[in-house]
Amino acid sequence: MSHVVVVGAGFAGLAAVKSLIKAKRPGTKITLIDQRNYHLFQPLLYQVATAGLSPADIAAPIRSIIPVGVDGADVLKEKVVDIDPVERLVRLEGGAKLRYDELVLACGASHSYFGHPEWEELAPGLKTLEHATEIRRRILDAFERAESTSDEALRRDLMTFVVVGGGPTGVELAGAIGEISRQTLAKDFSHIEPSSARIVLIELGKHILPSFSPELSRRAMRDLEKLGVTVWTSTRVTNITADGVQLGNEMVGSKTVLWAAGVKASPIGKKLGVPLDPQGRVEIDDTLRVIGVDHVFAVGDMARLVDKKYGVLPGLAPVAMQQGRWVARNVLRALDQQPLESYRYLDKGQMATIGRKKAVSEFRGLKMTGLIAWLAWLVVHIYYLVGFRSRLFVLLQWISSYVLFKRGARLITGGDWHSQQSE
Amino acid sequence: MSHVVVVGAGFAGLAAVKSLIKAKRPGTKITLIDQRNYHLFQPLLYQVATAGLSPADIAAPIRSIIPVGVDGADVLKEKVVDIDPVERLVRLEGGAKLRYDELVLACGASHSYFGHPEWEELAPGLKTLEHATEIRRRILDAFERAESTSDEALRRDLMTFVVVGGGPTGVELAGAIGEISRQTLAKDFSHIEPSSARIVLIELGKHILPSFSPELSRRAMRDLEKLGVTVWTSTRVTNITADGVQLGNEMVGSKTVLWAAGVKASPIGKKLGVPLDPQGRVEIDDTLRVIGVDHVFAVGDMARLVDKKYGVLPGLAPVAMQQGRWVARNVLRALDQQPLESYRYLDKGQMATIGRKKAVSEFRGLKMTGLIAWLAWLVVHIYYLVGFRSRLFVLLQWISSYVLFKRGARLITGGDWHSQQSE
């Protein structure tokens, strides 16, 4: 009986487990470990953060996706706290130890605050559902507090939203906040004018969407400005406080600062005792093995692979899914003492939405912008959404949000669950 | 310019504000204050707690229900911390003071732990969305932990669910947990048998659903038992610990205890300086005025009204809605120096669901049980659900959950939002 352990139920881990199950290799036990009970469709997380969708729309219970039991996999909601590559053991937070023949690490990444962990509290990032509902709470609450305060200065800071980081997440967050203020909430208040809200998108580099071609990033910038977003490029955040963002000697007063900048790989990589790259990723060879560690593969955002054609592969869902499927193949070959096969990245292009009617997308040579790009974005995302139910509901909510011009999930929830009283 | 202040956007407060706006009385300013930004459809809260619906399905942003501005109302997301009936002022947590000509209190109720506040942490009640997601988290997490533990005793306690209180909420919670274990999760685990989960419903009185006729409460008891729920009546909880529930000298080991027992009116009533009943409700006369306080009305769960025909009116949505509409009438008459009119309760009956195919309902003489009662329940609840969107989505989710036999919202979320990493 050989045991394959997969850690992480993101795009990479899920693809790996599905392929392993499909292969039906006799005498192979598969265990999937994740500290959540659901797979999260991260590309739509910003829509939960901006009240367009509910958490359940973009998260599917792992046990509803993966066949469980003899012909399927063991699913454990647990956290891996240590790995012993010599004894081939993973240790779980609960204390249990699992022995593996082959280990697949697909633990993803979280945000990096560039040595300023104290900024996280002031400027939450967007990697989990908890992040998303917290950000939703902060955005909506800012408008509510602006409505009820009589302090003009405070109101101005409450009506100023700063997004740090001009990658796809930052662009999508800023665009959605622009729409909320210009459209969704436009007529909802008596003392404030939501459409006068100020949204600032700050990017350290010369262009937003740096991974896109300059022409597309320019176009994205124009589209953002039409939604009321002010874009500042070549701008460095030097400090974040409860009152706003410090940019060198300039201070932007804001009560809602969101972080979409640095990325940091899952800390589990440290347990392997191999050198990590600056983002904390483990180096893998083109068979997806961790370089220098036997019987351990790593895939997705936590792995650094230099592709002969494309260079270091980006942390995108298509990369993770391709590597997940490929690693299943190589895991089985390893169990059968077959030589491993080299993975080649198949370019699926990249896209980013700007609001609910525009996007930019790049697929090999082909560049799209505006509504066509947005429709392409919609098709792709509905197609990859896990589970029929989610697809149906997300599509319906988007349709209804266009027809009724409302956002379905404008709830300020969270915080302490007890001693909450309806009053 | 006369100013009407309504506190609370539950069934009563919302009905009051809608009627006041409809009346279009010249020179009347209406302000609605609630500490949430949404109206919560409490009758379906147990479905969020049991992963059938998402929070956004049963909560609608107040600003999307109430017309805001000149021809509408001012909506403030604020908490009322004090009332001065002499100066006719309400003081808000933010520090602001509002002067009113007529005040309507509709602040609802929360749970009472009968002098054991320490039980709240161990046995959450079900009054807010935060409660609901916390309960959902605990129920689903118990199964996950049972799957990954090798400790038989712990597993037994994890697979034992205790619901305290045999009113409609307790019955609906227990029934839904029964279905989750018997149907939704039946095939999702490899090490445990969810259908062997033990669900205990504890009621202090002689019958569950004491407000229903004995024959219906007996029927409800049978239906619950078919779903795997053990019903213990005439049973007093003497203590609750992290390990379970103490019943006199008997201890029921359980890691998931839910509270659906006592009710306690909103504490705001204390600020009026009038005597309160044991449940903390203010006494009102049949014009819905607070007895002994001028220019202050109270309606819904926080008000105690003795009806000539029905006695003390129960804390039900229909009562709250009727009183809300009626109080708007009397507020306007008060502003016009007209004599107030007496409110008479129009009996809308009562219902409780048992699982997803059965219910009991009582409307004047007419008693219904089983599927017919459940269909009646469904029609009524869809009809009263606020907002077309919610109606559509809730109906669709129920249909899909029958067709696919899945529960749409099986997410374990919540807890601390930061330092959450996908792993």
Side-chain angles (χ1 to χ4, degrees):
Chain A
M1 192 72 173
S2 40
H3 189 197
V4 181
V5 173
V6 178
V7 186
F11 288 113
L14 217 52
V17 171
K18 281 179 171 172
S19 310
L20 285 167
I21 291 173
K22 239 193 249 122
K24 291 205 174 64
R25 182 178 184 274
T28 313
K29 178 169 187 258
I30 307 155
T31 301
L32 172 61
I33 305 171
D34 195 289
Q35 63 185 25
R36 312 306 181 98
N37 77 318
Y38 52 85
H39 165 74
L40 180 62
F41 192 77
Q42 282 201 4
L44 290 180
L45 198 51
Y46 81 97
Q47 293 226 347
V48 174
T50 53
L53 293 173
S54 288
D57 298 327
I58 64 163
I62 296 166
R63 299 182 185 282
S64 72
I65 309 170
I66 299 284
V68 172
V70 209
D71 312 329
D74 260 22
V75 177
L76 291 182
K77 181 180 171 294
E78 260 283 15
K79 182 173 181 173
V80 172
V81 290
D82 201 7
I83 300 169
D84 180 342
V86 181
E87 297 299 319
R88 290 206 227 154
L89 294 173
V90 293
R91 214 177 80 245
L92 307 179
E93 200 170 39
K97 284 198 179 79
L98 293 183
R99 201 184 173 295
Y100 61 83
D101 295 290
E102 295 293 334
L103 175 65
V104 177
L105 297 176
C107 305
S110 66
H111 283 292
S112 159
Y113 286 85
F114 305 122
H116 291 280
E118 72 277 13
W119 290 356
E120 186 183 24
E121 179 63 45
L122 302 159
L126 185 60
K127 279 285 176 189
T128 68
L129 283 178
E130 288 78 8
H131 286 138
T133 44
E134 170 66 14
I135 289 174
R136 181 178 72 186
R137 191 183 69 69
R138 293 190 183 201
I139 294 171
L140 297 174
D141 209 38
F143 286 103
E144 296 290 345
R145 285 164 61 204
E147 171 83 349
S148 53
T149 187
S150 48
D151 174 339
E152 271 313 317
L154 174 59
R155 177 175 292 175
R156 204 188 49 246
D157 291 358
L158 285 166
M159 301 273 289
T160 304
F161 300 84
V162 178
V163 178
V164 184
T169 302
V171 166
E172 285 165 341
L173 271 176
I177 298 171
E179 278 193 338
I180 289 177
S181 61
R182 269 46 178 184
Q183 295 160 355
T184 316
L185 300 181
K187 292 176 177 38
D188 277 4
F189 296 86
S190 8
H191 303 302
I192 59 168
E193 197 56 69
S195 53
S196 70
R198 183 170 173 225
I199 301 125
V200 184
L201 178 62
I202 295 173
E203 164 62 32
L204 177 61
K206 275 201 224 54
H207 311 284
I208 57 170
L209 300 178
S211 62
F212 289 67
S213 66
E215 125 193 30
L216 285 185
S217 82
R218 261 195 309 278
R219 172 62 184 264
M221 197 156 155
R222 296 288 159 271
D223 291 341
L224 280 171
E225 282 160 355
K226 291 198 192 82
L227 291 173
V229 178
T230 312
V231 180
W232 290 346
T233 53
S234 309
T235 306
R236 180 185 297 279
V237 171
T238 51
N239 195 20
I240 301 178
T241 71
D243 299 321
V245 177
Q246 191 77 43
L247 312 167
N249 48 25
E250 183 185 6
M251 174 75 178
V252 182
S254 169
K255 290 294 177 187
T256 315
V257 182
L258 307 178
W259 189 261
V263 170
K264 179 178 83 238
S266 157
I268 198 68
K270 297 197 189 83
K271 306 295 183 180
L272 295 172
V274 292
L276 306 175
D277 81 347
Q279 292 173 30
R281 293 178 296 187
V282 297
E283 308 268 353
I284 58 174
D285 62 32
D286 62 6
T287 69
L288 308 182
R289 270 212 188 286
V290 176
I291 295 171
V293 189
D294 292 342
H295 307 289
V296 180
F297 296 84
V299 284
D301 290 2
M302 70 172 284
R304 180 177 189 276
L305 174 59
V306 185
D307 184 275
K308 287 194 183 57
K309 180 168 168 205
Y310 298 96
V312 177
L313 296 180
L316 296 172
V319 178
M321 288 190 260
Q322 288 175 29
Q323 293 184 343
R325 286 189 294 268
W326 198 272
V327 80
R329 233 174 128 109
N330 273 348
V331 160
L332 295 169
R333 295 184 70 85
L335 293 175
D336 297 336
Q337 273 88 37
Q338 300 290 317
L340 305 186
E341 293 175 337
S342 299
Y343 161 75
R344 291 267 160 277
Y345 173 50
L346 175 65
D347 182 11
K348 293 290 192 77
Q350 49 182 346
M351 350 177 98
T353 38
I354 301 115
R356 293 180 303 172
K357 284 196 292 305
K358 293 200 170 81
V360 291
S361 82
E362 216 162 21
F363 176 67
R364 289 161 201 183
L366 175 65
K367 298 185 181 63
M368 291 191 287
T369 60
L371 186 60
I372 304 95
W374 181 83
L375 288 169
W377 174 89
L378 184 133
V379 171
V380 169
H381 284 73
I382 288 293
Y383 176 81
Y384 280 108
L385 242 190
V386 172
F388 159 79
R389 189 193 152 283
S390 309
R391 277 181 206 146
L392 172 70
F393 280 85
V394 170
L395 198 54
L396 283 169
Q397 302 215 38
W398 284 344
I399 291 166
S400 84
S401 75
Y402 287 74
V403 179
L404 310 176
F405 233 106
K406 293 242 166 86
R407 283 184 177 247
R410 271 164 50 201
L411 309 181
I412 300 175
T413 56
D416 184 16
W417 65 267
H418 37 12
S419 70
Q420 303 246 21
Q421 291 207 5
S422 58
E423 183 167 304
Chain B
M1 193 70 172
S2 41
H3 189 198
V4 180
V5 174
V6 178
V7 187
F11 288 113
L14 217 49
V17 171
K18 282 179 171 172
S19 311
L20 285 167
I21 292 173
K22 240 192 250 121
K24 292 207 174 64
R25 182 179 183 273
T28 313
K29 178 169 188 259
I30 306 156
T31 302
L32 172 60
I33 306 170
D34 195 290
Q35 64 185 22
R36 312 307 181 101
N37 77 318
Y38 53 84
H39 164 74
L40 179 63
F41 192 77
Q42 282 201 5
L44 290 179
L45 198 53
Y46 81 97
Q47 292 226 350
V48 174
T50 53
L53 293 174
S54 290
D57 298 326
I58 63 164
I62 295 166
R63 299 184 185 281
S64 72
I65 309 169
I66 299 283
V68 172
V70 209
D71 311 329
D74 259 21
V75 176
L76 291 182
K77 181 179 173 294
E78 260 283 15
K79 183 173 182 176
V80 172
V81 290
D82 200 7
I83 300 170
D84 179 341
V86 181
E87 296 299 319
R88 290 205 228 156
L89 294 172
V90 293
R91 217 180 76 247
L92 307 178
E93 202 170 37
K97 285 197 179 79
L98 293 184
R99 201 182 175 295
Y100 61 83
D101 295 291
E102 295 293 333
L103 175 65
V104 177
L105 296 176
C107 307
S110 65
H111 283 291
S112 158
Y113 286 85
F114 306 122
H116 290 280
E118 72 277 13
W119 290 357
E120 188 184 22
E121 181 63 45
L122 302 160
L126 184 60
K127 280 284 175 188
T128 67
L129 283 177
E130 287 79 8
H131 286 138
T133 44
E134 171 67 14
I135 288 174
R136 181 178 73 184
R137 191 183 69 69
R138 292 190 185 201
I139 294 171
L140 297 174
D141 209 38
F143 286 103
E144 295 291 345
R145 285 164 60 204
E147 171 83 347
S148 53
T149 186
S150 48
D151 175 337
E152 272 312 319
L154 174 59
R155 178 176 290 173
R156 205 188 49 246
D157 291 359
L158 284 165
M159 302 271 291
T160 303
F161 301 83
V162 178
V163 179
V164 183
T169 303
V171 166
E172 286 166 341
L173 270 177
I177 298 171
E179 279 194 337
I180 289 176
S181 61
R182 269 50 181 179
Q183 295 160 354
T184 316
L185 300 180
K187 291 174 176 43
D188 277 4
F189 296 86
S190 6
H191 304 302
I192 60 168
E193 197 57 70
S195 53
S196 71
R198 184 171 174 225
I199 301 124
V200 184
L201 177 63
I202 296 174
E203 164 61 31
L204 179 60
K206 277 201 223 51
H207 312 284
I208 57 169
L209 301 178
S211 62
F212 289 69
S213 66
E215 126 193 32
L216 284 186
S217 81
R218 263 196 308 280
R219 172 64 184 263
M221 196 156 156
R222 297 287 159 270
D223 291 341
L224 279 172
E225 282 159 354
K226 291 198 191 84
L227 291 174
V229 177
T230 313
V231 180
W232 291 346
T233 53
S234 310
T235 305
R236 179 184 297 278
V237 171
T238 51
N239 195 18
I240 301 178
T241 71
D243 300 321
V245 177
Q246 192 76 41
L247 312 165
N249 46 27
E250 183 186 7
M251 175 76 180
V252 182
S254 168
K255 290 293 178 189
T256 315
V257 183
L258 307 178
W259 189 261
V263 170
K264 178 177 86 244
S266 157
I268 198 67
K270 296 197 190 83
K271 306 295 185 179
L272 295 173
V274 292
L276 306 174
D277 80 345
Q279 293 173 32
R281 294 179 294 188
V282 296
E283 308 269 353
I284 57 173
D285 62 32
D286 62 6
T287 70
L288 308 181
R289 269 213 189 287
V290 175
I291 294 172
V293 189
D294 293 341
H295 307 289
V296 180
F297 295 86
V299 284
D301 290 4
M302 70 170 285
R304 181 178 189 276
L305 174 59
V306 186
D307 185 276
K308 287 194 181 58
K309 180 167 169 205
Y310 298 96
V312 178
L313 296 180
L316 296 173
V319 178
M321 287 190 262
Q322 288 174 29
Q323 292 184 344
R325 285 188 294 268
W326 199 273
V327 81
R329 233 174 127 108
N330 273 347
V331 161
L332 295 169
R333 296 184 70 85
L335 294 175
D336 297 336
Q337 273 88 38
Q338 301 288 319
L340 305 185
E341 294 174 339
S342 300
Y343 161 74
R344 292 267 161 278
Y345 174 50
L346 175 64
D347 182 12
K348 291 289 193 77
Q350 47 182 348
M351 338 177 109
T353 36
I354 301 113
R356 292 181 304 171
K357 284 197 290 309
K358 293 200 171 85
V360 292
S361 82
E362 218 163 17
F363 175 67
R364 290 165 200 177
L366 175 64
K367 297 185 181 62
M368 292 191 287
T369 60
L371 186 61
I372 304 94
W374 182 82
L375 287 169
W377 174 90
L378 183 130
V379 171
V380 169
H381 284 72
I382 289 292
Y383 176 80
Y384 279 108
L385 240 190
V386 173
F388 158 80
R389 192 193 147 283
S390 310
R391 277 181 206 147
L392 173 70
F393 279 85
V394 170
L395 198 54
L396 282 169
Q397 302 213 40
W398 283 345
I399 291 166
S400 84
S401 73
Y402 286 73
V403 178
L404 311 175
F405 233 106
K406 292 245 162 82
R407 282 181 177 250
R410 274 163 49 200
L411 308 182
I412 300 176
T413 56
D416 184 16
W417 65 266
H418 34 15
S419 71
Q420 302 244 20
Q421 291 207 5
S422 58
E423 183 166 303

